[in-house]
Amino acid sequence: MLSMSDIVRRLGLGALAATALSSLTSAAPANIAIRSLEERASSADRLVFCHFMIGIVGDRGSSADYDDDMQRAKAAGIDAFALNIGVDGYTDQQLGYAYESADRNGMKVFISFDFNWWSPGNAVGVGQKIAQYASRPAQLFVDNRPFASSFAGDGLDVNALRSAAGSNVYFVPNFHPGQSSTSTIDGALNWMAWDNDGNNKAPKPGQNVTVAAGDNAYKSWLGNKPYLAPVSPWFFTHFGPEVSYSKNWVFPGGSLIYDRWQQVLQQGFPMVEIVTWNDYGESHYVGPLKSKHYDDGNSKWVNDMPHDGFLDLSKPFIAAYKNKDTDVSKYIQNEQLVYWYRRNLKGLDCDATDTTSGRPANNGSGNYFMGRPDGWQTMDDTVYVAAFLKSAGTVTVTSGGNTKTFQGNAGANLFQVPASIGQQKFALSRNSQTVFSSVSLMDITNVCSCGIYNFNPYVGTVPAGFDDPLQGDGLASLTIGLHVTTCQARPSLGTNPPVTSGPASPPPVSSTRVSSPPVSSPPVTSRSSASPPPVSTPPPGQVCVAGTVADGESGNYIGLCNFSCNYGYCPPGPCKCTAFGAPISPPPTNGRNGCPLPGEGDSYLGLCSFSCNHNYCPPTACQYC
């Protein structure tokens, strides 16, 4: 029998959580009671997870680096993060940080084993890893059993896993119908949250496996066992020959996330998993850009493209889902418009400058296509607007020179307007009086941003949300592989390029943010995104405590310089110090040495050696040796 302290530990109900979340809006109005995690987890009924990639956050230095993620997810109604892990040297350190932060912030977490890196033949290792963290206070328990999941993994010996874990693990892996038996698993996750051709690409004529068809296949295969259904806003990836993991395709997005949440409410799946919080490389992130991570090359299409509105859109649906309600209207706390669209129309020709066009790359995976991403024809040139209203109102949307007016009802509404080049404007009015309005910071243009095909959506809200730029580590690889010189590794949202058929002009240094102004005359505030000035001589007793890449050096140094300069090692040449102060102790050493990647210069030697030895080893510049 569980003691009261065990119940509190497993459910994460503590005063610390309330304190940590006081600055964020909760997932439902105060007068609506949401079924507790204790009630829902006891019978695997209406649980909400979100996939979190540990593999790109090896640069985090403490559990505090996870706090903002935990707090935002908790406020949205997410019950637990599925912590996707490979076999990186920093995995245990980051898992420790994540579990500690989750406990402090009233969240739950569990491990999701990524079998791109783990082997189905290593059931003992999987079980031992579960056992290592199962006693942590933030571990999710379902049916009073430690919960775990996976990405792929068919063929894993689940009995051996449980034996090695020393407990009856509640295991809901991403096994596939027809490839594994359901006899030893408790349920299964379906990863395919997008309509597809049955071969992990966009639908083709006569080949369209809808998300609903995937639901039905899994439910039929599982019988009475719980089905973990996917929810995702988008999918676009565009890695070229500048990396070893080249891939370039898109799944149809459109109104996917709004439509999918409606399906979830109607179908009442026992569990759902949002795909994902922070997989920026595949453009299905709902978490902040500023969430600390290193850049695997995704910043080329992620910079200036926040998706925070997708999380806002999900909040009332999550609350309704937990309460077994099919109507979100009573769960709308504040009226809001959430809008999204692509920054270019799909017919724009970027072949001359794109990182993949006419440029062969390793295609052992079969996922690399040159030029426009595979599946681009399935995309619509449309501006989507989800209106969450407490009473009926008039929604006006202007895309370029095209203005449409809609009558919205109380509750959730979806409107669509053909996308046109120019400014994008949004307004809500009642009785001919404007309630709120805004001009988007992102125009639709005929300029190939950074020279590439970018099918990632820009997501905004009215009223405007928080400022969410990529940080230094998240921009470190932006210029690598580009074939234009007009793109800089810095946020530039609000500095729209002129509409022109020629190359884009360099963005101004400053960026702007609009805060729900009238459409006709938007006041703005500015914040500088310029690099801080170098500081040359330290005062007595002080060392470098902040730095960045030196002027004229490759943006690939940004993450390394930001990290190492913070701890007093700021080698002149590639880096410049921007602040001095009392010495800061670096993260513990791991006993491993780092070396530059083949082809990188000697100026990386010291940076890679220092950073990798302290558990920050960015794969775009360094490797363990």
Side-chain angles (χ1 to χ4, degrees):
M1 177 179 294
L2 293 176
S3 67
M4 182 57 67
S5 62
D6 285 333
I7 292 173
V8 171
R9 173 177 64 82
R10 292 185 178 184
L11 296 176
L13 309 174
L16 284 175
T19 301
L21 296 172
S22 61
S23 63
L24 294 174
T25 305
S26 61
N31 62 331
I32 302 293
I34 303 299
R35 296 170 65 222
S36 70
L37 177 58
E38 177 182 13
E39 176 187 348
R40 292 176 290 111
S42 65
S43 56
D45 183 30
R46 304 297 180 105
L47 300 174
V48 182
F49 310 140
C50 188
H51 210 76
F52 186 104
M53 309 299 292
I54 291 292
I56 63 167
V57 298
D59 55 345
R60 297 192 175 193
S62 74
S63 63
D65 286 336
Y66 286 85
D67 285 349
D68 187 69
D69 297 306
M70 298 293 175
Q71 292 165 16
R72 293 189 185 281
K74 180 78 172 181
I78 294 168
D79 294 314
F81 274 135
L83 302 175
N84 176 293
I85 64 167
V87 293
D88 302 290
Y90 52 76
T91 295
D92 277 323
Q93 182 180 59
Q94 295 302 326
L95 282 177
Y97 291 158
Y99 271 82
E100 181 181 338
S101 175
D103 181 39
R104 183 166 59 244
N105 290 289
M107 268 287 281
K108 290 299 177 185
V109 291
F110 59 88
I111 298 175
S112 178
F113 294 86
D114 192 327
F115 282 90
N116 280 323
W117 310 105
W118 288 81
S119 168
N122 187 19
V124 171
V126 172
Q128 289 173 340
K129 186 64 66 178
I130 293 171
Q132 185 178 344
Y133 293 91
S135 62
R136 297 289 187 103
Q139 169 65 44
L140 175 70
F141 278 71
V142 173
D143 189 27
N144 291 327
R145 299 155 58 193
F147 189 94
S149 186
S150 76
F151 175 78
D154 290 285
L156 183 72
D157 186 337
V158 180
N159 288 329
L161 176 158
R162 291 194 175 108
S163 178
S167 63
N168 187 18
V169 176
Y170 198 107
F171 194 48
V172 182
N174 173 221
F175 287 0
H176 298 81
Q179 298 183 35
S180 292
S181 168
T182 63
S183 61
T184 58
I185 61 176
D186 294 285
L189 162 68
N190 174 16
W191 183 260
M192 290 305 294
W194 317 271
D195 289 356
N196 63 91
D197 66 353
N199 193 34
N200 200 36
K201 297 296 179 296
K204 308 293 190 298
Q207 294 176 270
N208 185 14
V209 180
T210 65
V211 181
D215 293 335
N216 292 334
Y218 265 85
K219 289 192 294 182
S220 175
W221 175 59
L222 286 167
N224 293 325
K225 293 190 174 183
Y227 169 51
L228 178 48
V231 176
S232 189
W234 208 263
F235 186 106
F236 164 66
T237 188
H238 198 64
F239 291 104
E242 72 278 1
V243 298
S244 60
Y245 36 89
S246 308
K247 54 183 182 178
N248 179 27
W249 87 93
V250 64
F251 287 123
S255 58
L256 172 65
I257 189 168
Y258 181 92
D259 298 338
R260 183 57 171 165
W261 276 120
Q262 295 284 8
Q263 288 179 346
V264 166
L265 296 190
Q266 295 300 321
Q267 293 295 319
F269 305 119
M271 309 174 188
V272 296
E273 183 160 317
I274 299 171
V275 179
T276 60
W277 184 261
N278 63 339
D279 194 337
Y280 306 100
E282 294 184 348
S283 305
H284 42 61
Y285 52 96
V286 300
L289 297 180
K290 67 179 184 179
S291 180
K292 189 174 178 63
H293 66 279
Y294 66 72
D295 181 13
D296 59 5
N298 65 72
S299 60
K300 295 175 182 61
W301 57 92
V302 170
N303 188 32
D304 295 337
M305 306 296 273
H307 285 188
D308 306 297
F310 282 148
L311 188 62
D312 289 350
L313 180 154
S314 301
K315 284 182 183 180
F317 287 103
I318 290 173
Y321 166 76
K322 288 181 177 181
N323 273 8
K324 300 187 176 183
D325 206 334
T326 58
D327 179 13
V328 302
S329 59
K330 67 171 80 67
Y331 302 94
I332 296 172
Q333 289 181 291
N334 300 298
E335 293 191 309
Q336 186 181 43
L337 304 181
V338 179
Y339 58 85
W340 62 99
Y341 53 87
R342 300 190 321 278
R343 65 190 304 168
N344 301 133
L345 304 182
K346 65 182 179 182
L348 180 64
D349 186 349
C350 301
D351 278 355
T353 54
D354 183 69
T355 52
T356 69
S357 183
R359 296 177 170 91
N362 177 12
N363 196 24
S365 66
N367 293 328
Y368 183 67
F369 301 84
M370 292 189 286
R372 287 184 177 89
D374 181 73
W376 68 273
Q377 303 95 330
T378 66
M379 306 299 282
D380 296 321
D381 289 331
T382 301
V383 177
Y384 299 90
V385 182
F388 295 90
L389 308 180
K390 291 189 173 183
S391 62
T394 300
V395 176
T396 303
V397 181
T398 298
S399 180
N402 182 23
T403 297
K404 299 289 185 183
T405 299
F406 305 92
Q407 298 305 312
N409 299 317
N413 306 260
L414 180 69
F415 305 118
Q416 302 180 27
V417 174
S420 298
I421 290 174
Q423 287 189 325
Q424 311 299 304
K425 305 176 183 180
F426 308 89
L428 171 67
S429 61
R430 291 190 179 94
N431 302 318
S432 301
Q433 298 295 314
T434 299
V435 178
F436 49 62
S437 61
S438 184
V439 180
S440 172
L441 292 177
M442 179 65 70
D443 290 354
I444 295 178
T445 76
N446 63 355
V447 174
C448 302
S449 177
C450 290
I452 71 168
Y453 288 110
N454 190 345
F455 281 72
N456 188 19
Y458 175 81
V459 186
T461 63
V462 190
F466 61 96
D467 202 16
D468 186 25
L470 280 174
Q471 303 300 300
D473 286 359
L475 289 160
S477 299
L478 189 145
T479 60
I480 298 174
L482 291 182
H483 299 282
V484 297
T485 59
T486 55
C487 197
Q488 302 178 48
R490 61 179 55 169
S492 59
L493 189 57
T495 57
N496 290 293
V499 176
T500 172
S501 58
S505 302
V509 167
S510 64
S511 63
T512 58
R513 182 183 179 194
V514 178
S515 180
S516 306
V519 170
S520 58
S521 179
V524 298
T525 58
S526 298
R527 65 172 176 82
S528 173
S529 60
S531 299
V535 182
S536 57
T537 306
Q542 296 188 2
V543 298
C544 186
V545 293
T548 187
V549 62
D551 296 336
E553 294 293 338
S554 167
N556 200 35
Y557 287 110
I558 289 179
L560 287 166
C561 291
N562 285 350
F563 179 86
S564 60
C565 292
N566 188 50
Y567 302 113
Y569 177 66
C570 199
C575 306
K576 64 179 180 183
C577 185
T578 58
F580 292 108
I584 301 173
S585 298
T589 62
N590 57 20
R592 305 175 70 188
N593 191 31
C595 300
L597 291 178
E600 300 291 6
D602 289 344
S603 54
Y604 284 89
L605 286 170
L607 287 167
C608 289
S609 177
F610 176 87
S611 298
C612 293
N613 186 246
H614 292 284
N615 291 297
Y616 173 56
C617 204
T620 56
C622 309
Q623 62 186 354
Y624 284 108
C625 55

